[in-house]
Amino acid sequence: MSTFIENQNWRYATKKFDATKKISDENIALLKKAIQSAASSYGLQPYKVFFIENPEVRAQLQPAAWGQSQIVDASHLIVFASINKLNEAYIDAFVQNMATTRNLQVADLEGYATFMKGAILNMPEDKMATWTAKQTYIALGNLLAAAAELKIDVTPMEGFEPEKFNEILGFNERGLHATLVAPIGYRHAEDALQFAAKVRKSEEELFETI
Amino acid sequence: MSTFIENQNWRYATKKFDATKKISDENIALLKKAIQSAASSYGLQPYKVFFIENPEVRAQLQPAAWGQSQIVDASHLIVFASINKLNEAYIDAFVQNMATTRNLQVADLEGYATFMKGAILNMPEDKMATWTAKQTYIALGNLLAAAAELKIDVTPMEGFEPEKFNEILGFNERGLHATLVAPIGYRHAEDALQFAAKVRKSEEELFETI
């Protein structure tokens, strides 16, 4: 377990990636599994996760992320996109998946389905979009922890223009919204920030016991 | 690394805790370190994390979480509370911490401080509160990953009434908002859900390459 903390101390938001170093297919598969296994509200995973490999698309995205070099220099570029509005069909598909996975009848899950629909489908649109967006932050958390274990660098980013990302990546017509960007790869030897101490609130400031 | 995935598969949102099993002080210390090391926007950690040990307070909170048994049966109860509104003093304190931690002069960080203040202090209040709330989801992600490594169970919860939690825990007068609740402890042998297969979107459905 001290490994977890050591990995966290090793991790930092990389400013400059080594563009010559690529993540292996095997490690990409592991990172995908880590994202896929993340917790989410009701287990609904109300998002999609995009791996942007096309260099032209990445070049197009760079100015929409304040020109940050990581967008084009990282080995891979991940964009988390939340689903703005879940509908009845979405929840039905989830229940069907649950029935198949757990070898149950959909009819056995009817009560649960009705409960979820009552809780979710009447949410105001902006509240629902915020709620689905929040779920992507847990998935990002899993990506960060898994990547640190593999000594793969990640730069979690909110510093980009979501509207431009949505437009470039065709998210608007699909009801998706870019919530988080995560270039992944290997830190450049010249990125001085890797040697800087982590800045964190003290335990006394962060935690409180009641 | 396959351990990370194995731990994720072991993990589930525990429905019933074994109220007789307590997490050791040593493991609580490790979980705190995991939360403390979580990434956040600018590294600002715009939240506080409460460990609710007082059984009377936990009993008071239970009806505000739909009566869920985990609130009182888990070994410990964690409540994440985001800071509704960051002000200039908050950012100054962060910059001071950065200067101390990295052995720099505050004056050297003036440009960065000004940049952050410009980006943050003019945010509309509701947008800022949503943004700080989102950061707690990354910290929850770290808690989930670390706990799974320690074979400690967690039930991440959005299913509670934040306004009632805010009132009971005195958050309103401190500008805090309860965003996530996480009872932690050890699963009860009788919780059948621990044997159910994990329901997840297929990789084909979740991921897309551009």
Side-chain angles (χ1 to χ4, degrees):
Chain A
M1 170 61 186
S2 57
T3 321
F4 184 92
I5 309 296
E6 276 163 31
N7 291 337
Q8 291 287 318
N9 286 333
W10 173 87
R11 197 201 76 70
Y12 78 115
T14 304
K15 287 290 171 218
K16 187 175 165 63
F17 281 93
D18 185 336
T20 66
K21 292 191 184 157
K22 292 288 163 203
I23 302 172
S24 69
D25 290 347
E26 186 195 2
N27 280 343
I28 289 291
L30 286 169
L31 293 179
K32 282 185 173 174
K33 279 212 186 304
I35 293 170
Q36 189 187 23
S37 62
S40 62
S41 194
Y42 301 100
L44 284 169
Q45 301 173 281
Y47 45 74
K48 284 186 75 83
V49 183
F50 292 82
F51 281 68
I52 318 293
E53 296 191 353
N54 186 321
E56 283 169 29
V57 176
R58 288 174 64 171
Q60 254 187 296
L61 292 171
Q62 191 181 16
W66 323 120
Q68 290 173 94
S69 66
Q70 301 99 317
I71 299 288
V72 292
D73 286 343
S75 169
H76 291 65
L77 179 67
I78 301 177
V79 177
F80 291 87
S82 56
I83 298 169
N84 294 321
K85 191 170 160 40
L86 304 190
N87 56 24
E88 193 161 355
Y90 188 92
I91 297 173
D92 285 337
F94 171 75
V95 171
Q96 178 61 62
N97 185 6
M98 181 177 270
T100 308
T101 306
R102 295 185 173 166
N103 203 18
L104 300 166
Q105 300 298 315
V106 169
D108 298 334
L109 298 166
E110 206 179 294
Y112 187 52
T114 304
F115 168 72
M116 276 193 290
K117 287 176 187 176
I120 294 167
L121 299 181
N122 297 319
M123 248 189 242
E125 279 197 28
D126 58 338
K127 200 182 155 191
M128 196 190 289
T130 299
W131 169 66
T132 60
K134 282 174 176 171
Q135 308 305 316
T136 65
Y137 284 67
I138 308 177
L140 171 75
N142 253 25
L143 169 66
L144 290 172
E149 195 165 320
L150 293 167
K151 296 284 184 289
I152 290 171
D153 285 295
V154 188
T155 312
M157 281 186 189
E158 286 179 318
F160 63 97
E161 296 172 271
E163 290 72 20
K164 290 194 183 161
F165 267 61
N166 291 343
E167 203 187 313
I168 294 166
L169 298 171
F171 287 172
N172 291 320
E173 47 273 39
R174 298 175 66 181
L176 297 171
H177 180 73
T179 59
L180 285 166
V181 173
I184 58 173
Y186 296 96
R187 61 187 67 173
H188 197 288
E190 282 168 15
D191 186 5
L193 198 66
Q194 65 191 288
F195 307 110
K198 226 176 195 37
V199 180
R200 287 293 184 276
K201 284 184 181 176
S202 68
E203 294 207 1
E204 291 66 35
E205 199 185 346
L206 184 58
F207 298 106
E208 199 166 312
T209 303
I210 291 180
Chain B
M1 169 62 186
S2 57
T3 321
F4 184 92
I5 308 296
E6 276 163 31
N7 290 338
Q8 291 288 319
N9 287 332
W10 173 86
R11 196 200 78 69
Y12 77 116
T14 305
K15 288 288 171 220
K16 188 176 166 63
F17 281 92
D18 185 337
T20 66
K21 292 190 184 159
K22 292 288 162 202
I23 302 172
S24 69
D25 291 347
E26 185 195 3
N27 280 342
I28 290 291
L30 285 168
L31 293 179
K32 282 185 172 174
K33 280 211 184 306
I35 293 170
Q36 189 187 23
S37 63
S40 63
S41 195
Y42 301 99
L44 284 169
Q45 301 172 280
Y47 44 76
K48 283 187 75 83
V49 182
F50 292 82
F51 281 67
I52 319 293
E53 295 190 354
N54 185 320
E56 282 169 31
V57 176
R58 288 173 64 171
Q60 255 186 297
L61 292 172
Q62 190 180 16
W66 323 122
Q68 291 173 93
S69 65
Q70 300 99 318
I71 298 288
V72 292
D73 286 342
S75 169
H76 291 66
L77 178 67
I78 301 176
V79 177
F80 291 87
S82 56
I83 298 169
N84 294 321
K85 191 170 161 40
L86 304 190
N87 56 24
E88 193 161 355
Y90 187 92
I91 298 174
D92 285 337
F94 170 75
V95 170
Q96 179 61 62
N97 186 7
M98 181 178 270
T100 309
T101 307
R102 295 186 173 165
N103 204 17
L104 300 166
Q105 299 299 315
V106 168
D108 298 334
L109 297 166
E110 205 179 295
Y112 186 53
T114 305
F115 168 72
M116 276 193 290
K117 287 176 185 175
I120 294 168
L121 298 181
N122 297 319
M123 249 189 242
E125 279 196 29
D126 58 337
K127 200 182 156 190
M128 196 190 288
T130 299
W131 169 66
T132 59
K134 283 175 176 170
Q135 309 305 317
T136 65
Y137 284 67
I138 308 177
L140 171 74
N142 254 26
L143 169 66
L144 290 172
E149 194 165 320
L150 293 168
K151 297 284 184 288
I152 291 171
D153 285 294
V154 189
T155 311
M157 280 186 189
E158 287 180 316
F160 64 96
E161 295 172 89
E163 289 72 20
K164 290 194 184 161
F165 268 59
N166 292 344
E167 203 187 313
I168 294 167
L169 299 171
F171 287 172
N172 291 321
E173 47 274 38
R174 299 176 65 182
L176 297 172
H177 179 74
T179 59
L180 285 165
V181 173
I184 59 174
Y186 296 96
R187 61 187 67 173
H188 197 288
E190 282 168 15
D191 185 6
L193 198 66
Q194 65 190 289
F195 307 111
K198 225 176 194 41
V199 180
R200 286 295 184 274
K201 285 184 181 177
S202 67
E203 294 207 2
E204 292 66 36
E205 200 185 346
L206 184 59
F207 299 107
E208 198 166 311
T209 303
I210 290 180

